[in-house]
Short mmCIF file of all heavy atoms in Angstrom, two decimals:
data_model
loop_
_atom_site.label_atom_id
_atom_site.label_comp_id
_atom_site.label_asym_id
_atom_site.label_seq_id
_atom_site.Cartn_x
_atom_site.Cartn_y
_atom_site.Cartn_z
N ALA A 1 -38.23 44.35 32.95
CA ALA A 1 -37.57 43.73 34.11
C ALA A 1 -37.76 42.21 34.19
O ALA A 1 -36.80 41.47 34.42
CB ALA A 1 -38.03 44.41 35.39
N PRO A 2 -38.99 41.68 34.01
CA PRO A 2 -39.14 40.22 34.11
C PRO A 2 -38.28 39.47 33.10
O PRO A 2 -37.65 38.47 33.45
CB PRO A 2 -40.64 40.01 33.84
CG PRO A 2 -41.28 41.31 34.24
CD PRO A 2 -40.29 42.36 33.83
N ARG A 3 -38.25 39.95 31.85
CA ARG A 3 -37.47 39.25 30.83
C ARG A 3 -35.98 39.38 31.12
O ARG A 3 -35.21 38.43 30.92
CB ARG A 3 -37.79 39.83 29.44
CG ARG A 3 -37.09 39.09 28.31
CD ARG A 3 -37.49 37.62 28.30
NE ARG A 3 -36.72 36.84 27.35
CZ ARG A 3 -36.18 35.65 27.62
NH1 ARG A 3 -36.33 35.12 28.83
NH2 ARG A 3 -35.52 35.00 26.71
N LEU A 4 -35.55 40.53 31.58
CA LEU A 4 -34.14 40.72 31.92
C LEU A 4 -33.72 39.79 33.04
O LEU A 4 -32.62 39.20 32.99
CB LEU A 4 -33.90 42.18 32.31
CG LEU A 4 -33.77 43.19 31.17
CD1 LEU A 4 -33.98 44.61 31.67
CD2 LEU A 4 -32.41 43.07 30.49
N ARG A 5 -34.56 39.64 34.05
CA ARG A 5 -34.20 38.75 35.16
C ARG A 5 -34.14 37.30 34.71
O ARG A 5 -33.26 36.54 35.14
CB ARG A 5 -35.22 38.92 36.30
CG ARG A 5 -35.13 40.28 36.99
CD ARG A 5 -35.92 40.30 38.30
NE ARG A 5 -35.76 41.60 38.95
CZ ARG A 5 -36.62 42.59 38.87
NH1 ARG A 5 -37.75 42.43 38.16
NH2 ARG A 5 -36.41 43.73 39.49
N GLU A 6 -35.07 36.92 33.85
CA GLU A 6 -35.07 35.55 33.33
C GLU A 6 -33.83 35.29 32.48
O GLU A 6 -33.14 34.27 32.64
CB GLU A 6 -36.34 35.31 32.52
CG GLU A 6 -36.47 33.90 31.96
CD GLU A 6 -37.74 33.74 31.13
OE1 GLU A 6 -38.55 34.68 31.08
OE2 GLU A 6 -37.88 32.67 30.50
N LEU A 7 -33.54 36.23 31.59
CA LEU A 7 -32.41 36.06 30.67
C LEU A 7 -31.08 36.17 31.41
O LEU A 7 -30.12 35.47 31.09
CB LEU A 7 -32.48 37.13 29.58
CG LEU A 7 -31.56 36.99 28.37
CD1 LEU A 7 -31.80 35.68 27.64
CD2 LEU A 7 -31.76 38.16 27.43
N GLY A 8 -31.03 37.06 32.39
CA GLY A 8 -29.76 37.31 33.07
C GLY A 8 -29.44 36.36 34.20
O GLY A 8 -28.35 36.42 34.77
N ALA A 9 -30.38 35.46 34.53
CA ALA A 9 -30.18 34.59 35.69
C ALA A 9 -28.91 33.75 35.57
O ALA A 9 -28.21 33.51 36.56
CB ALA A 9 -31.40 33.68 35.88
N GLY A 10 -28.60 33.29 34.37
CA GLY A 10 -27.41 32.46 34.21
C GLY A 10 -26.39 33.07 33.29
O GLY A 10 -25.56 32.34 32.73
N VAL A 11 -26.42 34.40 33.12
CA VAL A 11 -25.55 35.04 32.16
C VAL A 11 -24.09 34.87 32.55
O VAL A 11 -23.72 34.85 33.73
CB VAL A 11 -25.89 36.55 32.04
CG1 VAL A 11 -25.42 37.33 33.25
CG2 VAL A 11 -25.33 37.14 30.78
N LYS A 12 -23.26 34.71 31.55
CA LYS A 12 -21.82 34.64 31.77
C LYS A 12 -21.29 36.06 31.72
O LYS A 12 -21.13 36.65 30.65
CB LYS A 12 -21.16 33.79 30.69
CG LYS A 12 -20.14 32.82 31.25
CD LYS A 12 -19.64 31.90 30.18
CE LYS A 12 -19.40 30.53 30.81
NZ LYS A 12 -18.80 29.59 29.87
N VAL A 13 -21.05 36.63 32.88
CA VAL A 13 -20.71 38.04 32.98
C VAL A 13 -19.48 38.39 32.17
O VAL A 13 -19.41 39.43 31.52
CB VAL A 13 -20.53 38.44 34.47
CG1 VAL A 13 -20.06 39.89 34.58
CG2 VAL A 13 -21.84 38.26 35.22
N GLU A 14 -18.49 37.51 32.19
CA GLU A 14 -17.24 37.81 31.46
C GLU A 14 -17.49 37.99 29.98
O GLU A 14 -16.93 38.89 29.35
CB GLU A 14 -16.21 36.69 31.69
CG GLU A 14 -15.75 36.53 33.12
CD GLU A 14 -16.70 35.68 33.95
OE1 GLU A 14 -17.76 35.26 33.41
OE2 GLU A 14 -16.41 35.44 35.13
N ALA A 15 -18.33 37.14 29.40
CA ALA A 15 -18.63 37.24 27.97
C ALA A 15 -19.35 38.55 27.66
O ALA A 15 -19.04 39.23 26.66
CB ALA A 15 -19.47 36.05 27.52
N LEU A 16 -20.29 38.94 28.51
CA LEU A 16 -21.01 40.19 28.28
C LEU A 16 -20.10 41.40 28.44
O LEU A 16 -20.19 42.36 27.68
CB LEU A 16 -22.19 40.31 29.24
CG LEU A 16 -23.45 39.51 28.88
CD1 LEU A 16 -24.58 39.88 29.80
CD2 LEU A 16 -23.86 39.71 27.43
N LEU A 17 -19.22 41.36 29.44
CA LEU A 17 -18.34 42.51 29.66
C LEU A 17 -17.36 42.68 28.50
O LEU A 17 -17.01 43.81 28.14
CB LEU A 17 -17.58 42.34 30.98
CG LEU A 17 -18.43 42.51 32.24
CD1 LEU A 17 -17.59 42.30 33.49
CD2 LEU A 17 -19.11 43.87 32.28
N ARG A 18 -16.92 41.57 27.90
CA ARG A 18 -16.07 41.68 26.71
C ARG A 18 -16.82 42.36 25.59
O ARG A 18 -16.29 43.23 24.88
CB ARG A 18 -15.59 40.28 26.27
CG ARG A 18 -14.42 39.75 27.06
CD ARG A 18 -13.77 38.57 26.34
NE ARG A 18 -14.70 37.48 26.11
CZ ARG A 18 -14.90 36.48 26.97
NH1 ARG A 18 -14.26 36.46 28.13
NH2 ARG A 18 -15.75 35.51 26.70
N PHE A 19 -18.09 41.99 25.42
CA PHE A 19 -18.90 42.60 24.37
C PHE A 19 -19.17 44.08 24.67
O PHE A 19 -19.19 44.91 23.77
CB PHE A 19 -20.21 41.83 24.22
CG PHE A 19 -21.12 42.38 23.15
CD1 PHE A 19 -20.64 42.66 21.88
CD2 PHE A 19 -22.46 42.62 23.42
CE1 PHE A 19 -21.48 43.18 20.89
CE2 PHE A 19 -23.30 43.13 22.46
CZ PHE A 19 -22.80 43.40 21.19
N VAL A 20 -19.38 44.40 25.94
CA VAL A 20 -19.58 45.81 26.34
C VAL A 20 -18.39 46.65 25.91
O VAL A 20 -18.56 47.76 25.38
CB VAL A 20 -19.80 45.92 27.86
CG1 VAL A 20 -19.68 47.36 28.33
CG2 VAL A 20 -21.16 45.36 28.24
N ARG A 21 -17.19 46.14 26.11
CA ARG A 21 -15.98 46.89 25.72
C ARG A 21 -15.90 47.03 24.21
O ARG A 21 -15.52 48.09 23.70
CB ARG A 21 -14.73 46.19 26.27
CG ARG A 21 -14.59 46.30 27.80
CD ARG A 21 -13.23 45.85 28.26
NE ARG A 21 -13.07 44.40 28.10
CZ ARG A 21 -13.38 43.51 29.03
NH1 ARG A 21 -13.91 43.90 30.19
NH2 ARG A 21 -13.19 42.22 28.84
N GLU A 22 -16.26 45.99 23.48
CA GLU A 22 -16.26 46.07 22.02
C GLU A 22 -17.28 47.12 21.54
O GLU A 22 -17.01 47.90 20.62
CB GLU A 22 -16.62 44.71 21.42
CG GLU A 22 -15.57 43.63 21.64
CD GLU A 22 -16.08 42.25 21.20
OE1 GLU A 22 -17.14 42.21 20.54
OE2 GLU A 22 -15.43 41.24 21.54
N LEU A 23 -18.42 47.15 22.20
CA LEU A 23 -19.49 48.07 21.81
C LEU A 23 -19.09 49.52 22.08
O LEU A 23 -19.47 50.43 21.33
CB LEU A 23 -20.76 47.72 22.58
CG LEU A 23 -22.09 48.19 21.99
CD1 LEU A 23 -22.27 47.65 20.57
CD2 LEU A 23 -23.24 47.74 22.88
N GLU A 24 -18.31 49.74 23.12
CA GLU A 24 -17.83 51.09 23.42
C GLU A 24 -16.96 51.59 22.27
O GLU A 24 -17.03 52.76 21.88
CB GLU A 24 -17.04 51.08 24.72
CG GLU A 24 -16.84 52.45 25.34
CD GLU A 24 -18.13 53.18 25.61
OE1 GLU A 24 -19.05 52.62 26.22
OE2 GLU A 24 -18.23 54.35 25.17
N GLY A 25 -16.16 50.71 21.71
CA GLY A 25 -15.33 51.07 20.56
C GLY A 25 -16.19 51.40 19.34
O GLY A 25 -15.89 52.33 18.59
N VAL A 26 -17.26 50.62 19.14
CA VAL A 26 -18.17 50.88 18.03
C VAL A 26 -18.80 52.26 18.18
O VAL A 26 -18.90 53.02 17.21
CB VAL A 26 -19.27 49.79 17.98
CG1 VAL A 26 -20.37 50.19 17.00
CG2 VAL A 26 -18.67 48.45 17.57
N ARG A 27 -19.21 52.60 19.39
CA ARG A 27 -19.91 53.87 19.61
C ARG A 27 -19.02 55.07 19.29
O ARG A 27 -19.51 56.10 18.83
CB ARG A 27 -20.39 53.95 21.06
CG ARG A 27 -21.18 55.21 21.35
CD ARG A 27 -22.02 55.09 22.57
NE ARG A 27 -23.02 56.15 22.62
CZ ARG A 27 -24.13 56.10 23.34
NH1 ARG A 27 -24.40 55.05 24.07
NH2 ARG A 27 -24.97 57.11 23.35
N ARG A 28 -17.73 54.94 19.53
CA ARG A 28 -16.83 56.06 19.27
C ARG A 28 -16.68 56.36 17.79
O ARG A 28 -16.15 57.40 17.41
CB ARG A 28 -15.45 55.78 19.89
CG ARG A 28 -15.44 55.91 21.41
CD ARG A 28 -14.02 55.98 21.92
NE ARG A 28 -13.30 54.74 21.72
CZ ARG A 28 -13.25 53.75 22.62
NH1 ARG A 28 -13.87 53.87 23.79
NH2 ARG A 28 -12.57 52.66 22.38
N HIS A 29 -17.12 55.43 16.93
CA HIS A 29 -16.93 55.62 15.48
C HIS A 29 -18.26 55.57 14.73
O HIS A 29 -18.35 55.09 13.61
CB HIS A 29 -15.98 54.55 14.94
CG HIS A 29 -14.60 54.61 15.52
ND1 HIS A 29 -14.25 53.95 16.68
CD2 HIS A 29 -13.50 55.31 15.13
CE1 HIS A 29 -12.99 54.21 16.97
NE2 HIS A 29 -12.51 55.02 16.05
N LEU A 30 -19.30 56.10 15.36
CA LEU A 30 -20.63 56.05 14.76
C LEU A 30 -20.92 57.20 13.80
O LEU A 30 -21.90 57.16 13.08
CB LEU A 30 -21.71 56.07 15.85
CG LEU A 30 -22.07 54.73 16.50
CD1 LEU A 30 -23.22 54.94 17.46
CD2 LEU A 30 -22.44 53.68 15.46
N ASP A 31 -20.09 58.23 13.80
CA ASP A 31 -20.40 59.43 13.04
C ASP A 31 -20.57 59.15 11.54
O ASP A 31 -21.51 59.63 10.92
CB ASP A 31 -19.31 60.50 13.24
CG ASP A 31 -19.35 61.08 14.64
OD1 ASP A 31 -20.41 60.96 15.29
OD2 ASP A 31 -18.34 61.63 15.07
N HIS A 32 -19.63 58.39 10.99
CA HIS A 32 -19.67 58.16 9.54
C HIS A 32 -19.37 56.69 9.21
O HIS A 32 -18.35 56.38 8.60
CB HIS A 32 -18.66 59.06 8.83
CG HIS A 32 -18.89 60.52 9.07
ND1 HIS A 32 -19.95 61.21 8.53
CD2 HIS A 32 -18.22 61.41 9.84
CE1 HIS A 32 -19.91 62.47 8.93
NE2 HIS A 32 -18.88 62.62 9.72
N PRO A 33 -20.26 55.78 9.61
CA PRO A 33 -20.02 54.37 9.27
C PRO A 33 -20.13 54.16 7.76
O PRO A 33 -21.04 54.69 7.12
CB PRO A 33 -21.13 53.63 10.02
CG PRO A 33 -22.21 54.65 10.18
CD PRO A 33 -21.52 55.97 10.33
N LEU A 34 -19.20 53.41 7.20
CA LEU A 34 -19.20 53.18 5.76
C LEU A 34 -20.41 52.35 5.34
O LEU A 34 -21.00 52.57 4.29
CB LEU A 34 -17.90 52.49 5.33
CG LEU A 34 -16.62 53.31 5.55
CD1 LEU A 34 -15.40 52.48 5.17
CD2 LEU A 34 -16.66 54.59 4.72
N ASN A 35 -20.78 51.39 6.17
CA ASN A 35 -21.89 50.51 5.84
C ASN A 35 -22.68 50.23 7.13
O ASN A 35 -22.37 49.31 7.87
CB ASN A 35 -21.36 49.20 5.25
CG ASN A 35 -22.47 48.32 4.69
OD1 ASN A 35 -23.58 48.28 5.24
ND2 ASN A 35 -22.19 47.63 3.60
N PRO A 36 -23.72 51.03 7.41
CA PRO A 36 -24.48 50.87 8.65
C PRO A 36 -25.05 49.46 8.84
O PRO A 36 -25.03 48.92 9.94
CB PRO A 36 -25.60 51.90 8.52
CG PRO A 36 -25.07 52.92 7.57
CD PRO A 36 -24.21 52.17 6.60
N GLN A 37 -25.55 48.87 7.76
CA GLN A 37 -26.14 47.56 7.89
C GLN A 37 -25.10 46.52 8.29
O GLN A 37 -25.34 45.68 9.16
CB GLN A 37 -26.84 47.14 6.59
CG GLN A 37 -27.53 45.77 6.71
CD GLN A 37 -28.38 45.44 5.51
OE1 GLN A 37 -28.83 46.35 4.79
NE2 GLN A 37 -28.62 44.16 5.26
N LEU A 38 -23.94 46.56 7.66
CA LEU A 38 -22.87 45.62 7.99
C LEU A 38 -22.41 45.81 9.43
O LEU A 38 -22.16 44.84 10.15
CB LEU A 38 -21.69 45.80 7.04
CG LEU A 38 -20.50 44.85 7.24
CD1 LEU A 38 -20.95 43.40 7.09
CD2 LEU A 38 -19.39 45.17 6.24
N LEU A 39 -22.33 47.07 9.86
CA LEU A 39 -21.93 47.35 11.24
C LEU A 39 -22.93 46.72 12.21
O LEU A 39 -22.54 46.07 13.19
CB LEU A 39 -21.85 48.86 11.46
CG LEU A 39 -21.40 49.36 12.84
CD1 LEU A 39 -20.63 50.66 12.72
CD2 LEU A 39 -22.59 49.56 13.77
N LEU A 40 -24.23 46.90 11.94
CA LEU A 40 -25.24 46.35 12.83
C LEU A 40 -25.28 44.82 12.77
O LEU A 40 -25.52 44.17 13.79
CB LEU A 40 -26.62 46.93 12.47
CG LEU A 40 -26.83 48.40 12.84
CD1 LEU A 40 -28.16 48.90 12.32
CD2 LEU A 40 -26.74 48.61 14.35
N GLU A 41 -25.05 44.25 11.61
CA GLU A 41 -24.98 42.79 11.52
C GLU A 41 -23.90 42.25 12.44
O GLU A 41 -24.10 41.27 13.18
CB GLU A 41 -24.71 42.36 10.08
CG GLU A 41 -25.88 42.53 9.13
CD GLU A 41 -25.53 42.16 7.69
OE1 GLU A 41 -24.39 41.66 7.48
OE2 GLU A 41 -26.36 42.38 6.80
N THR A 42 -22.75 42.90 12.42
CA THR A 42 -21.63 42.48 13.27
C THR A 42 -21.99 42.61 14.74
O THR A 42 -21.72 41.71 15.56
CB THR A 42 -20.38 43.33 12.96
OG1 THR A 42 -20.07 43.21 11.57
CG2 THR A 42 -19.20 42.88 13.80
N VAL A 43 -22.62 43.73 15.09
CA VAL A 43 -22.99 43.99 16.48
C VAL A 43 -24.03 42.98 16.97
O VAL A 43 -23.89 42.41 18.06
CB VAL A 43 -23.53 45.44 16.63
CG1 VAL A 43 -24.25 45.62 17.96
CG2 VAL A 43 -22.39 46.44 16.51
N PHE A 44 -25.08 42.74 16.19
CA PHE A 44 -26.15 41.85 16.64
C PHE A 44 -25.69 40.40 16.71
O PHE A 44 -26.10 39.65 17.61
CB PHE A 44 -27.37 41.98 15.73
CG PHE A 44 -28.03 43.34 15.79
CD1 PHE A 44 -28.57 43.92 14.65
CD2 PHE A 44 -28.08 44.05 16.98
CE1 PHE A 44 -29.18 45.17 14.70
CE2 PHE A 44 -28.68 45.30 17.05
CZ PHE A 44 -29.22 45.87 15.91
N LEU A 45 -24.85 40.00 15.78
CA LEU A 45 -24.32 38.64 15.84
C LEU A 45 -23.43 38.47 17.07
O LEU A 45 -23.50 37.45 17.77
CB LEU A 45 -23.52 38.33 14.56
CG LEU A 45 -22.89 36.93 14.49
CD1 LEU A 45 -23.96 35.85 14.63
CD2 LEU A 45 -22.12 36.76 13.19
N ALA A 46 -22.63 39.48 17.37
CA ALA A 46 -21.78 39.43 18.56
C ALA A 46 -22.63 39.39 19.83
O ALA A 46 -22.30 38.70 20.80
CB ALA A 46 -20.84 40.63 18.58
N TYR A 47 -23.74 40.14 19.84
CA TYR A 47 -24.65 40.10 20.99
C TYR A 47 -25.22 38.71 21.18
O TYR A 47 -25.23 38.16 22.30
CB TYR A 47 -25.79 41.11 20.80
CG TYR A 47 -26.94 40.88 21.75
CD1 TYR A 47 -26.85 41.27 23.08
CD2 TYR A 47 -28.10 40.22 21.32
CE1 TYR A 47 -27.89 41.02 23.97
CE2 TYR A 47 -29.15 39.98 22.20
CZ TYR A 47 -29.05 40.39 23.53
OH TYR A 47 -30.07 40.13 24.39
#
């Protein structure tokens, strides 16, 4: 909680909500990712 409050104090909600929607799409296709590492690289960089 303390770190979340510190980090979230000035968060740009619109940017996070766009990423949330992108992540929902990623989750729907987790069953058989062709390259798990590449998928996670894309996700973490976007985060």
Side-chain angles (χ1 to χ4, degrees):
R3 185 59 188 135
L4 280 162
R5 291 193 178 98
E6 182 182 354
L7 191 60
V11 74
K12 225 173 216 185
V13 175
E14 296 84 357
L16 281 188
L17 289 179
R18 280 196 301 270
F19 180 49
V20 166
R21 290 191 291 270
E22 292 172 12
L23 202 57
E24 197 56 51
V26 169
R27 183 161 196 160
R28 286 195 293 269
H29 297 88
L30 276 184
D31 290 340
H32 301 288
L34 296 177
N35 189 325
Q37 183 172 336
L38 182 59
L39 182 148
L40 288 174
E41 287 176 6
T42 303
V43 165
F44 294 144
L45 180 58
Y47 165 77

